[in-house]
Amino acid sequence: MDHFLYRDGVLHAEDVPVAEIAAAVGTPFYLYSTATLERHYRLFDEALEGLDHLVCYAMKAASNQAILRTLARLGAGMDVVSGGEYLRAKAAGVPGSKIVFSGIGKTAHEMELALLGGIRQFNIESEPEMEVLSAVAVKLGKVAPITVRVNPDVDAKTHAKIATGKSENKFGIPISRAQSVYAHAGSLPGLEVIGIDVHIGSQLTDLEPFRQAYRKVSDLTEALRAEGHDIRRLDLGGGLGIPYAQTNEAPPLPSAYGAMIREELGHLGCEIEIEPGRLIAGNAGIMVSKVIYVKSGEGRDFLILDGAMNDLIRPAMYDAWHDIVPLVQPAAGVAQRPYDIVGPVCESGDTFAKQRMMPPLNAGDLVAFRSAGAYGAVMSSEYNTRPMIPEVMVNGHEFAVIRARPSFDEMINRDTIPEWL
Ligand SMILES: *Cc1c(COP(=O)(O)O)cnc(C)c1O
């Protein structure tokens, strides 16, 4: 459920008509709902009630500091995958004790940042990384708390670009090698082994792959404990999917996910961490765009929008479907017609939808891309020298720009022309 609903025939974000925001900030822009972000965080938090747990929002999904602050105020931790994200989380007011550092390519510099600023744990993904972290920690006179990310070799049954838990993926260490890798970790002076980490992919619409992975983690917990490792924290990753089309059958709810975690892992007495990103932010954001032209082609009509693939790359990159709805609710029974919905970027891949059934639209009309809150703004670029579009947040009757659109001068003046030119 989200808080982008038609009221009196016009799309609202909570209590604010979206067109009003469009008039104030110009299109295109991203728009987030505080109430939806809060609701989604609470669903996860409540799903794990009774277990010692922390919900660490995977901030790569949407990392504006206003979003981080909204979640952190409710008690959320953060899962970060770079030094930049670590510093951004700190800037938003998240204490180091609630920040988990994931990712396969942490540099010594990033490790140092986190060790000095405070960190809940590092999720280690390889033996070379382990050795570097130990050396950095020893140099700083610290001990780094770690889990090792294991690759359980399960098929997450999701898009190939966001599956991470098969043996051919670059993530984690093969679970079959876990015991020797943990023995290695245990022998390094700068590390303290505290748990196990797993993350098998994103946009999972079935609990079964999670269950298979968590069973393997449960067995591994017991095996490692028998070898003397004090396994007391399990980081179960993120990945729960969301419905992208309103007509889709719904993926499992956080409550069902939480119940499954309890069933598979509750008996171990471990602290549980989860790292949801998409489910918290995805349906908490929309992208609003304007029709620039309606162009009639051979046998098809194109809706040319002012938003493009540089603003929302998911359709081009993952063949993603986004529901696209007009800001003015179409009259009941109005005849729909097919459009190819495209942006102005000079690539055929800049196509949001082909032959999408829509009510008739004209130049100047506004549309909203639903489910654009996760992996939307964070993946945007300035390709074609198009300014990064603003991010706006609504909270009840209020809204605020949380990242402003840069001016053309700001963009162009970032380049430096060398002396010799
Ligand atoms: C991307 C990622 C997540 C979040 O995945 P979602 O599908 O957005 O929930 C969590 N943990 C790790 C390690 C990730 O890389």
Side-chain angles (χ1 to χ4, degrees), residues 54 72 75-78 86 89-100 117-120:
L54 185 67
M78 297 291 151
Y86 174 82
K90 292 291 290 274
V94 184
S97 60
K98 285 189 166 179
I99 302 177
V100 169
I119 191 78
R120 181 175 178 80

Side-chain angles (χ1 to χ4, degrees), residues 137-259:
V138 167
K139 187 185 80 180
L140 298 175
K142 306 221 175 239
V143 175
I146 66 147
T147 71
V148 176
R149 177 169 175 180
V150 294
N151 185 327
D153 194 24
V154 301
D155 184 356
K157 299 197 169 63
T158 184
H159 191 283
K161 285 184 184 162
I162 49 176
T164 61
K166 283 288 283 174
S167 55
E168 73 249 31
N169 298 128
K170 66 181 180 180
F171 299 97
I173 55 125
I175 198 162
S176 54
R177 289 196 46 233
Q179 276 150 289
S180 84
V181 173
Y182 271 85
H184 183 186
S187 74
L188 293 171
L191 306 185
E192 183 191 8
V193 173
I194 62 164
I196 305 173
D197 172 44
V198 68
H199 171 73
I200 57 173
S202 200
Q203 187 52 20
L204 274 70
T205 52
D206 182 2
L207 287 185
E208 207 43 42
F210 286 117
R211 190 187 290 278
Q212 283 171 23
Y214 297 171
R215 255 185 211 162
K216 292 187 179 190
V217 167
S218 171
D219 292 345
L220 181 62
T221 302
E222 283 168 350
L224 291 175
R225 281 178 173 170
E227 286 171 4
H229 298 286
D230 182 11
I231 302 298
R232 53 193 187 272
R233 183 181 292 165
L234 301 178
D235 182 332
L236 304 178
L240 202 56
I242 63 172
Y244 276 96
Q246 304 294 306
T247 49
N248 261 8
E249 69 175 297
L253 297 174
S255 54
Y257 176 65

